[in-house]
């Protein structure tokens, strides 16, 4: 396409600032920051996961943060509820794990972008997994104390009077 203000056969000079670089064949990259020593189970497709995150562009520009809302982001993983790069990056984590997930545009918001995320942006998510479960998980019971002479056991239908502390897996007290 010729422009009237550019003479024919003119040499042009462009000043370019490279914002980010990716290849359409790139996959996500994961950098583990903190992996708990005691990891009983890793997350898998179908789990409901609660996590905090900071989302930035490659140049460090913050575009979103669950910390700023003081509320975790809660979602099922491996089922398409989040962008494909996060769906993949949240698989195989432990409760308490911190990791960095770098998502190429085609596994993020693509060429169009979204909100304050420009088109074709590489996204960087620093996440902290608070807890997760699978709806098909069974109940887990741990006894901390049992009297040595326990001869009467409760059964279904009994009326019980008890004290309790209810907390999240990360120790956050919900009720007492």
């Amino acid at each position: 396409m010729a422009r009237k203000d550019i003479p024919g056969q003119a040499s042009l000079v462009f000043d370019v600032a490279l914002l980010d670089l990716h290849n359409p064949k790139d996959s996500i990259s994961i950098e583990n920051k903190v992996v708990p020593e005691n990891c009983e189970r890793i997350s898998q497709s179908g789990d409901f996961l609660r996590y905090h995150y900071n989302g930035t562009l490659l140049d460090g520009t913050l575009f979103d943060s669950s910390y700023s809302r003081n509320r975790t982001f809660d979602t099922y993983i491996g089922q398409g509820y989040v962008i494909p790069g996060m769906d993949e990056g949240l698989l195989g984590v432990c409760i308490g794990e911190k990791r960095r997930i770098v998502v190429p545009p085609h596994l993020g918001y693509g060429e169009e972008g979204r909100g304050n995320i420009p088109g074709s942006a590489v996204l960087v998510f620093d996440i902290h997994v608070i807890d997760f479960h699978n709806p098909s998980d069974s109940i887990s019971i741990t006894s901390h104390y049992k009297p040595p002479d326990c001869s009467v056991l409760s059964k279904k239908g009994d009326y019980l009077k008890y004290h309790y502390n209810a907390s999240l897996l990360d120790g956050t007290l919900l009720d007492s």
Side-chain angles (χ1 to χ4, degrees), residues 50-53 65-74:
R50 294 184 334 113
Y51 64 100
H52 272 296
Y53 70 92
S65 173
S66 66
Y67 294 101
S68 67
R69 292 185 294 278
N70 199 25
R71 187 176 192 297
T72 58
F73 188 81
D74 308 341

Side-chain angles (χ1 to χ4, degrees), residues 31-39 42 92-99:
E31 179 185 343
N32 291 325
K33 300 286 188 176
V34 175
V35 180
E37 287 182 27
N38 185 13
C39 182
I42 60 172
V93 296
C94 295
I95 291 173
E97 184 169 337
K98 293 181 180 183
R99 73 169 38 172

Side-chain angles (χ1 to χ4, degrees), residues 41 46-49 76 95 131-137 169:
R41 180 169 93 74
D47 284 345
F48 185 80
L49 199 130
Y76 286 96
I95 291 173
D131 61 29
F132 61 85
H133 72 278
N134 193 292
S136 64
D137 286 349
L169 287 174

Side-chain angles (χ1 to χ4, degrees), residues 25 60 115 120 141 149:
K25 296 178 184 174
S120 299
I141 299 172
D149 60 345

